[in-house]
Each structure stands twice: as structure tokens, then as C-alpha cells.
Amino acid sequence: MARIGEVQAPAATRDALARGRLRASLVPDLLVEARRIVNTVIAGWHGRRKRGIGENFWQFRPYVEGDASRIDWRRSARDDHTYVRDREWEAAHTVWLWADPSPSMLYKSTGAGVSKQSRALVLALAMAELLSRSGERIAWPGLTDPFTARNGAERIAAQLMHAGELPAKPDLSDIRRFCDIVIASDFLDPVEETMAWLDVLARHGVRAHLIEVADPAEETFPYAGRTEFTDPETGDKLTAGRAEMLGDEYRLLYTARRHELAAWCKRLGWSFTVNHTDRLASDALVRLHMAMTADGGYAGLTGSGHAGLAAVGGRAGKAVA
């Protein structure tokens, strides 16, 4: 059977230095791609859109008796109504961004346009660009402290290029209440491990937005015949004489893991969406924007409607066939 997918990395995939060099070589082009994607969605991206202290005009609204806001007499002179001028609230909000650097993210099947690592980095950098343009504070756990800058995406890209080995799961305990965090990963670790890692965010009152980056081959399991599977995390190999016999059970476990994680996020008021590497990255940004601007926090985002079934543990396999 023809090869369906492979890990997009140097031969020594467990070598942190090799993975770091690969990431550094990808970042400049991915920053360009992120900005291109931002330009396609920026028309629908709004800032805080709340009345408050600030310098920028937001809206005129009818005057109500007892309103402490200053009347705008020039606008009021145009008709028989009295209006006040509202400014837009400009208190900066902190949003943390993180893209999974683990070896499993380097996987790319022949049906995908990019590797999962490339897509996750593009999404993180695109969010950095959008948030920076809106004047928000952004940060990357384990890499930067929160900062405000119009070139925020470029600054984070530079940090990623020069960073050495990045932790598989950064310490999230310093992220505090009223912050948001965007996490792009394949979330293929056992669900219990993922929940235990993210539990500190729930306890601190942080609102999280999870983007599951999925390769189409991981979801559909298109393998048949004699197939050798390799775990990018450990290098362990499994040879299946008739891979198609594993398909039904694999898909059951794969979708159940997703369902379990999505349901947990919903209970916490977090958002969860799926972005496939054979589809547009801008789809995830639009859903993420809806979730981050929704008053209720969780916007019920589930990607393309792939429903799960039950709780599951374990890491779904990647195939090199």
C-alpha cells in the first residue's frame, strides 16, 4: 500500500535540537501566512465594542434623563433628539497563546495541505496579529510575559525562532483570572491527562479556547492491508497484517476522546473547536472570534460536526504506511 502519511521532521524526531531548528525554519513563512489569513477575516473582527473610558469614538445614543455622559450638541442639532457620544472601552485584556510543539504535531498525511504543527503555529500567530491590532496584551506561556505591541505577532515569532527546547506542556499556574488562553493542539494524550493539565486554569477562573488540530487521515483511518504504524512520541512501531480490521474500533476511540474533551469544556464555559489540516485555517479563527466575544464564554463550537460517543483514554496512533 502506498504511504499515506509521515512525520515532517528530520530523521531524529526525538532530538529536541532538530525539532527546534525545524520550527525556526518554519516560523518566518508561517508568520507571512498568518498575516495573509488575518487580512481575510479582519473585516469581521471587532475590538472590545463596549462603552467605557477611552479615546476612540464608538457610537451616538439617545440621551436618558440622569445620564452622566456629555451631550453631543452638534449631533443633537441635526434632528429633534438629544444624543450623547460614547467612547469605546480601552482597558487592555490579556490573552495567552500556545501551540503544541510535541512530535505528534509534525504528522502530515498526503490528503493534508500542511502538518499539524504548521497549522497550530499559523493559528497562534494569526491570533497574535489580530489581538495586537486590537490593542490587547498577549503572551506565550514559558516564552514571554504579557505585553502590548502593534507588532506582537512578529515579536512572538522571533521568540519562537530563537527558543531552544520548548516544554511539551508549559506550566499554566501563573495565568490568572479574567485572562483568556488559546491552545492549539491535537489533544491526543489521554483525556484524563489533558484535563489534569488544564485544571489549574479552571481553578483560577481563566477562560480557555481549545482548537483541536486534526489531520484527515487520523480521523478517517484510511489504512488497509499490511501497514506499519509509528508513534512519533516514542518511536514504537506496530505492524498490522490487515489494518482495515482496526478501523471501526479506532474511529470509535478517536471520536469518543474528542466528545469527552468537548463536553468537559462546555461544562466549564470554555470553547472547543476542530480545525482540519485539509481545510482553511480562517475557519477556526472565525469560530474562535465568535467564542471570545460571546458573553456566555462557550459558544458551542464543535468544528465540522464530528460527534463522539463516550469517555476514552490513550493516544491515537499516527501511521507511516
Side-chain angles (χ1 to χ4, degrees):
M1 183 178 181
R3 183 184 296 271
I4 289 178
E6 60 186 358
V7 172
Q8 302 291 293
T13 56
R14 299 177 67 184
D15 182 351
L17 178 59
R19 294 201 306 273
R21 287 174 174 168
L22 177 67
R23 182 182 65 249
S25 67
L26 289 173
V27 167
D29 289 340
L30 296 183
L31 179 59
V32 173
E33 175 68 7
R35 285 175 171 164
R36 184 192 67 78
I37 293 169
V38 164
N39 289 332
T40 68
V41 301
I42 194 67
W45 185 275
H46 303 290
R48 300 163 192 83
R49 312 313 294 164
K50 293 182 180 180
R51 179 164 54 92
I53 299 173
E55 296 181 358
N56 296 323
F57 168 76
W58 178 30
Q59 65 178 4
F60 290 113
R61 61 180 175 82
Y63 172 79
V64 178
E65 186 176 354
D67 198 328
S69 301
R70 179 174 296 181
I71 295 174
D72 190 289
W73 294 109
R74 178 175 295 181
R75 174 66 184 86
S76 300
R78 298 179 189 174
D79 52 40
D80 296 330
H81 299 284
T82 303
Y83 293 93
V84 296
R85 173 188 290 262
D86 280 340
R87 291 186 173 89
E88 187 176 7
W89 179 59
E90 293 185 354
H93 184 63
T94 299
V95 180
W96 295 77
L97 307 166
W98 185 75
D100 189 347
S102 63
S104 71
M105 296 293 289
L106 296 168
Y107 181 72
K108 175 184 175 297
S109 70
T110 55
V114 295
S115 70
K116 293 185 293 181
Q117 181 192 57
S118 293
R119 176 56 56 83
L121 284 170
V122 161
L123 289 172
L125 291 172
M127 280 303 302
E129 181 78 6
L130 285 166
L131 292 166
S132 294
R133 292 187 187 186
S134 298
E136 309 289 9
R137 288 192 301 267
I138 59 174
W140 191 288
L143 192 66
T144 72
D145 292 326
F147 67 91
T148 304
R150 294 291 293 178
N151 65 339
E154 186 175 345
R155 286 178 57 174
I156 284 183
Q159 292 278 1
L160 288 169
M161 287 178 62
H162 296 99
E165 182 178 3
L166 295 175
K169 287 185 172 66
D171 181 11
L172 304 177
S173 60
D174 289 337
I175 303 177
R176 297 300 176 182
R177 191 177 183 184
F178 304 124
C179 293
D180 282 49
I181 183 170
V182 176
I183 300 175
S185 171
D186 55 15
F187 296 110
L188 292 181
D189 286 321
V191 175
E192 296 80 6
E193 291 184 12
T194 300
M195 291 179 179
W197 172 50
L198 299 177
D199 182 64
V200 66
L201 299 176
R203 287 187 282 108
H204 286 178
V206 178
R207 187 172 64 160
H209 308 276
L210 276 55
I211 305 175
E212 181 184 323
V213 181
D215 187 283
E218 293 175 332
E219 193 168 85
T220 61
F221 198 81
Y223 309 104
R226 184 177 178 83
T227 306
E228 181 182 79
F229 299 93
T230 302
D231 187 333
E233 304 287 343
T234 65
D236 293 342
K237 297 181 182 295
L238 170 67
T239 300
R242 297 180 62 189
E244 65 273 17
M245 300 295 291
L246 305 175
D248 289 344
E249 183 177 3
Y250 170 87
R251 285 185 287 269
L252 176 68
L253 294 172
Y254 185 90
T255 55
R257 168 204 55 81
R258 177 180 292 167
H259 176 77
E260 172 89 352
L261 189 57
W264 183 68
C265 288
K266 185 175 183 179
R267 289 196 297 271
L268 293 174
W270 296 357
S271 72
F272 179 88
T273 189
V274 179
N275 185 242
H276 298 84
T277 52
D278 62 339
R279 300 179 190 173
L280 297 175
S282 55
D283 291 347
L285 289 184
V286 171
R287 297 190 189 103
L288 185 59
H289 173 243
M290 292 170 59
M292 294 184 72
T293 56
D295 291 337
Y298 180 74
L301 309 177
T302 56
S304 302
H306 299 280
L309 300 173
V312 62
R315 174 175 283 272
K318 317 294 186 302
V320 179

